[in-house]
Amino acid sequence: EPEVTQTPSHQVTQMGQEVILRCVPISNHLYFYWYRQILGQKVEFLVSFYNNEISEKSEIFDDQFSVERPDGSNFTLKIRSTKLEDSAMYFCASQSGYSYEQYFGPGTRLTVT
Amino acid sequence: AQKVTQAQTEISVVEKEDVTLDCVYETRDTTYYLFWYKQPPSGELVFLIRRNSFDEQNEISGRYSWNFQKSTSSFNFTITASQVVDSAVYFCALSEALITGGGNKLTFGTGTQLKVEL
């Protein structure tokens, strides 16, 4: 069964460093998302991506964040200068063009020290 | 603005008991979608079910059943004869209809931690 994959599973970085979180969505899906979950809290929407551009973003998704689909298979989230409060689990999700279900990857736990 | 409320932060039951997880939502959209996701201790988010706002028929899938009531803006989830493997955090989520040229972001509730003990 097709699934969304994410790498790395855990990333530790120092404050101020740039990180890139990678996702491979389900093949033939058209909509892509990033969400984050601070430990013990709810899952929060960051950004949606369709047709090679951002379709919607939340207040959390400020200028420090960017997304890219560089090669038609990977979907990346970049944080330019990480802050302590960026520590969270980051989930990638993808969705087909004919249904409303979003399928999530296993997540990347980002720890900023 | 959309909002999902899961008032139960934690529920503990003994195996084989039935348990209902509550979900109340707010939206101004006339067409919307409701979801339940399971987050086991391993951390991934597992899709369980989607319901459309125009279809209030309840659904049963094995030991799982869902009760959608538009009149009370609720979408409750019942596990019958609970098992230890059901222990997880369960999230209710809401999305509006698909945006033309875009996706449909999910608004999650705060989750209910279900603990099933022997």
Side-chain angles (χ1 to χ4, degrees), chain A residues 64-79:
Chain A
Q64 292 300 311
F65 291 87
S66 62
V67 290
E68 195 177 36
R69 189 159 158 80
D71 55 12
S73 62
N74 291 284
F75 180 48
T76 62
L77 174 69
K78 182 194 291 187
I79 309 175

Side-chain angles (χ1 to χ4, degrees), chain A:
Chain A
E1 187 175 322
E3 58 182 19
V4 177
T5 59
Q6 289 185 244
T7 54
S9 56
H10 190 191
Q11 172 103 40
V12 181
T13 189
Q14 289 190 329
M15 196 167 52
Q17 295 296 304
E18 174 183 287
V19 294
I20 297 177
L21 310 183
R22 303 180 193 280
C23 168
V24 178
I26 294 173
S27 178
N28 297 325
H29 277 193
L30 301 179
Y31 302 95
F32 312 107
Y33 306 83
W34 284 101
Y35 293 83
R36 81 171 185 190
Q37 183 182 31
I38 294 172
L39 187 63
Q41 299 187 22
K42 68 177 178 181
V43 180
E44 300 175 290
F45 168 77
L46 291 178
V47 65
S48 58
F49 193 85
Y50 169 72
N51 200 25
N52 282 319
E53 59 183 28
I54 291 173
S55 48
E56 189 175 2
K57 59 184 180 180
S58 72
E59 293 173 353
I60 303 168
F61 195 88
D62 61 23
D63 292 344
Q64 292 300 311
F65 291 87
S66 62
V67 290
E68 195 177 36
R69 189 159 158 80
D71 55 12
S73 62
N74 291 284
F75 180 48
T76 62
L77 174 69
K78 182 194 291 187
I79 309 175
R80 286 190 189 77
S81 179
T82 51
K83 298 178 267 211
L84 293 176
E85 53 265 38
D86 293 328
S87 295
M89 181 75 91
Y90 288 81
F91 291 103
C92 171
S94 72
Q95 177 185 345
S96 73
Y98 53 84
S99 76
Y100 286 86
E101 293 89 54
Q102 294 180 25
Y103 292 92
F104 284 78
T108 294
R109 179 163 298 285
L110 177 65
T111 302
V112 182
T113 61

